[in-house]
């Protein structure tokens, strides 16, 4: 049972990471910086709960805020360039963050025990859950509480003007700009929102894993973060969730019996998925069909975008 | 330990020589970007895989080790073609995200096949002209790095000839400028793109062999760093700019080795990335600032 609880935590955290990339992809920006904000959130909230002995809720909150702050600061120079230049710029940002934490050494003595990030050795003593007697089920519920809140918030945003504005910038920047949308403000807001979500996910990850080091926050994790929304499709927040369940639950955990071949199959399945469903597993048509089936299939106008992606 | 002028100059020389591999990888990214306005992230993986095939060929058949530098690029060309067919050919051209994602899938796939075939352990790669060391005054030139430089200069010259003096090069440039107009003039767009992938694949295979020969070992772990460095070179050189990629490759190689000397191996890459940010902020169009604004 502990195994499934662990898997549920991983799925929840990766869903948040995927959603942080999703909000940026809506504006047409592919960012590999999410893992940088994730790392910042992980280290900041870990340092707050371990060294400064905060409760986890303010720790997570501040980690998310610092993640958002960095996203805001990175957003301005990074969003001057677009498309493929942004991909490279954001990889560079994530790698700078990773190398910063790789070199960070901040050992202090708390209650007689030396704790804190120890550069190459990683940051080992993030034991808030164990120290406060939370069992695994509590942790799962805690993680999923945030997942539900963030998903509900993004789902709601997509139904109001904000969502339409984000998608308008993603569909055609020039057209959006000529209809009076301030595209810099929209992009930087999306970047900041993504940074906050990624920082939150990082804080949750650090406390679930009890141990973080720079190797976790690699370019590989950055590609996973954007892979979830692209594989799942940008038409609905549920696409990201389904992609995470598919990748983490089915491909990574469900196929362990294949051993070595699992990893080979993984790359192959991504290629096949993108050839068969270039707009993601859940594209605009699927969303329409589900709405019709649920009896809420009114024409909402904003669905045509999915097919052009 | 004092760092004097000779150390710095020597570090820059070694870096410039090794930078020729970065230049080749950057050229590959920039050519594919120029042709299709898309990024092929599987490129460095196919380069390394090609070097592996070359190494396997000479180890299994006992051929002279120089032949790895011919067999590797051929294998990479074939892999490049396979990547084009699986990740780019059948996905709608207006879709930017799907081919990028598919090429990441191909990166995983190629890497994992290599790991599976070699049980994940690095193999030693034969160096050429290793025992030659040229000295000019205080400075020395490593023979294997000179070999790397010479091969890449020849490869660049051949590439330039193909691009600017043959009908194939004319077709490639036409497709990259105006795909629809080129198609209307009777140029087969998909075929031209496929050939671009094969040519750049072969170029990558050569770079992969040379990087492996200069480092001395080959490992799938080389893929991600080479991909990242190649992308940096592409951006500093300006997306789609061929002379830019060459200059930027040498520059990144030189700066990287200089930072290695000044700041140590743990912090070297931080400064390389900061260099990239300097370019992004002050010269987002690259060193030569070509007029590719149709991204």
């Amino acid at each position: 049972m502990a195994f499934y609880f662990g898997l549920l935590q991983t799925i929840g955290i990766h869903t948040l990471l995927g959603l942080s990339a999703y909000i940026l992809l809506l504006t047409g920006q592919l960012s590999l910086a999410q893992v940088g904000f994730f790392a910042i959130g992980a280290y900041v909230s870990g340092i707050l709960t371990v060294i400064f002995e905060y409760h986890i809720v303010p720790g997570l909150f501040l980690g998310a805020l610092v993640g958002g702050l960095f996203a805001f600061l990175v957003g301005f120079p990074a969003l001057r360039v677009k498309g493929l230049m942004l991909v490279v710029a954001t990889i560079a940002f994530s790698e700078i963050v990773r190398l910063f934490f790789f070199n960070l050494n901040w050992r202090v003595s708390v209650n007689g025990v030396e704790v804190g990030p120890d550069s190459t050795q990683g940051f080992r003593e993030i034991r808030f859950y164990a120290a406060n007697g939370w069992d695994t089920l509590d942790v799962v519920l805690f993680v999923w509480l945030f997942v539900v809140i963030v998903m509900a918030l993004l789902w709601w945003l997509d139904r109001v003007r904000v969502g339409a504005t984000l998608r308008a910038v993603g569909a055609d920047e020039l057209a959006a700009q000529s209809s009076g949308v301030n595209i810099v403000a929209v992009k930087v807001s999306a970047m900041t929102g993504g940074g906050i979500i990624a920082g939150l996910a990082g804080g949750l990850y650090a406390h679930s894993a009890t141990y973080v080091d720079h190797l976790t926050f690699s370019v590989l994790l950055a590609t996973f973060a954007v892979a979830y929304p692209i594989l799942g499709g940008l038409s609905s927040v549920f696409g990201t969730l389904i992609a995470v369940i598919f990748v983490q639950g089915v491909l990574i955990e469900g196929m362990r019996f294949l051993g070595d071949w699992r990893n080979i199959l993984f790359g192959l399945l991504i290629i096949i998925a993108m050839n068969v469903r270039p707009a993601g597993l859940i594209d605009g048509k699927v969303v329409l069909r589900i709405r019709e089936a649920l009896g809420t299939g009114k024409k909402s106008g904003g669905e045509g975008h999915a097919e052009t992606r | 330990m004092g760092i004097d002028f000779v150390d710095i100059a020597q570090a820059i020389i070694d870096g410039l020589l090794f930078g020729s591999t970065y230049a080749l990888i950057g050229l590959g990214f920039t050519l594919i970007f120029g042709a299709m306005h898309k990024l092929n992230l599987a490129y460095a993986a196919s380069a390394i895989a090609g070097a592996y095939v070359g190494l396997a060929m000479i180890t299994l058949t006992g051929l002279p080790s120089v032949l790895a530098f011919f067999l590797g690029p051929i294998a990479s060309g074939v892999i490049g073609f396979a990547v084009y067919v699986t990740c780019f050919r059948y996905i709608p051209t207006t879709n930017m995200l799907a081919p990028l994602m598919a090429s990441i899938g191909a990166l995983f796939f190629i890497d994992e096949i290599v790991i599976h075939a070699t049980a994940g352990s690095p193999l030693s790669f034969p160096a050429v002209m290793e025992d030659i060391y040229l000295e000019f005054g205080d400075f020395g030139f490593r023979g294997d790095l000179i070999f790397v430089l010479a091969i890449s200069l020849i490869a660049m010259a051949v590439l330039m000839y193909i691009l600017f003096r043959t009908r194939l090069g004319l077709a490639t440039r036409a497709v990259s400028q105006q795909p629809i107009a080129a198609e209307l003039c009777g140029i087969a767009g998909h075929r031209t793109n496929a050939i671009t992938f094969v040519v750049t694949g072969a170029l990558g295979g050569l770079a992969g062999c040379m990087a492996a020969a200069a480092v001395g070992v080959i490992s799938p772990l080389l893929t991600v760093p080479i991909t990242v460095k190649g992308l940096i070179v592409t951006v500093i050189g300006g997306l789609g700019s061929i002379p830019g990629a060459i200059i930027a490759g040498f520059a990144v190689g030189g700066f990287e080795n200089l930072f290695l000397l000044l700041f140590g191996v743990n912090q070297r890459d931080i400064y390389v990335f900061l260099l990239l940010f300097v370019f992004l902020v002050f010269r987002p169009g690259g060193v030569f600032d070509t007029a590719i604004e149709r991204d």
Side-chain angles (χ1 to χ4, degrees):
Chain A
M1 208 60 204
F3 166 75
Y4 290 102
F5 283 150
L7 182 60
L8 275 176
Q9 290 176 26
T10 308
I11 290 177
I13 290 163
H14 279 244
T15 303
L16 286 175
L17 187 60
L19 289 174
S20 82
Y22 166 85
I23 184 166
L24 229 85
L25 280 166
L26 287 186
T27 67
Q29 310 299 313
L30 185 85
S31 155
L32 294 179
Q34 305 315 112
V35 75
F37 309 136
F38 185 74
I40 291 171
Y43 270 89
V44 168
S45 63
I47 286 169
L48 286 174
T49 59
V50 173
I51 296 181
F52 297 100
E53 298 181 275
Y54 274 45
H55 188 264
I56 187 163
V57 174
L60 282 178
F61 192 68
L62 286 171
L65 273 188
V66 176
L69 179 71
F70 271 92
F72 179 76
L73 293 176
V74 168
F76 280 104
L79 295 172
R80 278 184 45 163
V81 293
K82 52 183 177 175
L84 306 177
M85 305 277 268
L86 182 68
V87 174
V88 181
T90 49
I91 289 181
F93 170 76
S94 290
E95 285 289 284
I96 288 178
V97 170
R98 181 177 72 80
L99 291 168
F100 173 77
F101 288 125
F102 180 57
N103 288 296
L104 177 70
N105 194 325
W106 185 10
R107 303 290 286 173
V108 289
S109 184
V110 176
N111 301 332
V113 187
E114 202 188 351
V115 292
D118 186 5
S119 56
T120 52
Q121 298 296 310
F123 182 9
R124 290 179 181 277
E125 305 86 0
I126 314 169
R127 296 204 191 88
F128 180 85
Y129 294 143
N132 288 274
W134 294 29
D135 65 20
T136 348
L137 182 62
D138 296 335
V139 179
V140 170
L141 293 176
F142 187 65
V143 169
W144 277 86
L145 176 71
F146 286 104
V147 177
V148 169
I149 291 172
V150 169
M151 279 184 75
L153 194 66
L154 288 180
W155 186 82
W156 173 73
L157 276 183
D158 218 7
R159 256 137 206 81
V160 293
R161 198 181 170 82
V162 179
T165 314
L166 289 175
R167 287 186 189 276
V169 173
D172 192 334
E173 258 178 41
L174 207 59
Q177 199 168 19
S178 50
S179 335
V181 174
N182 182 345
I183 55 169
V184 174
V186 169
K187 283 186 193 170
V188 174
S189 313
M191 191 86 170
T192 311
I196 291 174
I197 299 171
L200 177 68
L204 288 169
Y205 170 78
H207 289 86
S208 283
T210 71
Y211 163 66
V212 288
D213 76 352
H214 73 105
L215 285 176
T216 314
F217 310 111
S218 58
V219 179
L220 189 71
L221 189 63
T223 52
F224 267 76
V226 292
Y228 296 133
I230 296 176
L231 279 176
L234 295 177
S235 300
S236 163
V237 285
F238 298 106
T240 305
L241 176 66
I242 285 169
V244 175
I245 293 173
F246 179 66
V247 169
Q248 290 293 332
V250 180
L251 282 183
I252 292 186
E253 292 302 334
M255 297 198 179
R256 278 209 188 277
F257 67 93
L258 289 174
D260 216 12
W261 294 98
R262 177 191 63 177
N263 295 330
I264 297 178
L265 200 65
F266 182 59
L268 202 60
L269 278 173
I270 292 182
I271 299 176
I272 293 171
M274 285 343 286
N275 272 285
V276 178
R277 299 196 71 80
L281 297 172
I282 303 208
D283 57 10
K285 281 185 197 150
V286 176
V287 171
L288 272 186
R289 220 168 288 153
I290 291 171
R291 288 217 184 120
E292 271 163 24
L294 292 175
T296 53
K298 64 176 167 56
K299 264 256 180 264
S300 59
E303 297 301 335
H305 66 88
E307 276 135 59
T308 58
R309 285 191 173 277
Chain B
M1 181 190 90
I3 295 171
D4 58 15
F5 171 74
V6 176
D7 289 337
I8 291 178
Q10 182 66 52
I12 294 176
I13 290 170
D14 284 349
L16 284 178
L17 292 176
F18 188 74
S20 50
T21 52
Y22 292 152
L24 284 192
I25 294 281
L27 263 182
F29 277 120
T30 228
L31 279 175
I32 292 172
F33 181 81
M36 296 190 71
H37 289 259
K38 292 199 171 93
L39 200 55
N40 172 18
L41 284 179
Y43 181 59
S46 58
I48 295 291
Y52 262 104
V53 174
L55 181 66
M57 295 267 206
I58 59 163
T59 324
L60 293 178
T61 58
L63 292 166
S65 58
V66 184
L67 275 181
F69 290 85
F70 294 97
L71 296 169
I74 293 172
S76 286
V78 174
I79 298 171
F81 179 72
V83 168
Y84 175 69
V85 172
T86 51
C87 303
F88 293 87
R89 171 70 177 85
Y90 297 105
I91 295 176
T93 44
T94 49
N95 190 323
M96 300 306 285
L97 295 177
L100 185 76
M101 201 60 236
S103 73
I104 292 176
L107 167 81
F108 290 158
F109 181 65
I110 295 169
D111 249 13
E112 287 300 333
I113 292 222
V114 168
I115 291 173
H116 190 79
T118 60
S121 53
L123 303 173
S124 65
F125 201 88
V128 181
M129 291 166 57
E130 201 180 15
D131 36 0
I132 296 174
Y133 191 81
L134 298 180
E135 281 189 45
F136 293 96
D138 287 338
F139 306 116
F141 294 87
R142 276 168 57 190
D144 51 344
L145 289 182
I146 292 178
F147 175 75
V148 162
L149 178 73
I151 292 278
S152 52
L153 287 181
I154 294 169
M156 285 170 201
V158 170
L159 183 76
M160 290 296 198
Y161 176 80
I162 292 177
L163 269 181
F164 293 101
R165 290 281 181 276
T166 62
R167 286 180 68 85
L168 173 64
L170 188 66
T172 311
R173 285 181 291 137
V175 171
S176 91
Q177 279 172 13
Q178 269 296 338
I180 295 171
E183 198 103 355
L184 290 174
C185 295
I187 297 170
H190 285 305
R191 217 192 60 169
T192 314
N193 283 342
I195 292 172
T196 309
F197 268 75
V198 173
V199 171
T200 54
L203 205 62
L206 194 60
C209 287
M210 291 183 340
V215 177
V217 290
I218 183 164
S219 148
L221 292 175
L222 283 174
T223 311
V224 171
I226 288 189
T227 306
V228 173
K229 290 282 155 58
L231 289 173
I232 290 175
V233 166
T234 314
V235 168
I236 291 181
L239 283 175
S241 161
I242 291 164
I246 296 173
I247 299 287
F250 286 114
V252 168
F255 274 112
E256 184 187 68
N257 233 18
L258 178 65
F259 294 146
L260 176 67
L261 178 73
L262 296 180
F263 306 111
V265 70
N266 284 355
Q267 297 181 11
R268 176 192 73 186
D269 284 352
I270 293 185
Y271 294 93
V272 177
F273 294 129
L274 288 177
L275 184 72
L276 171 76
F277 269 99
V278 169
F279 267 90
L280 280 176
V281 172
F282 294 106
R283 277 196 88 80
V287 274
F288 289 119
D289 217 348
T290 49
I292 295 194
E293 292 295 324
R294 297 179 295 130
D295 185 357

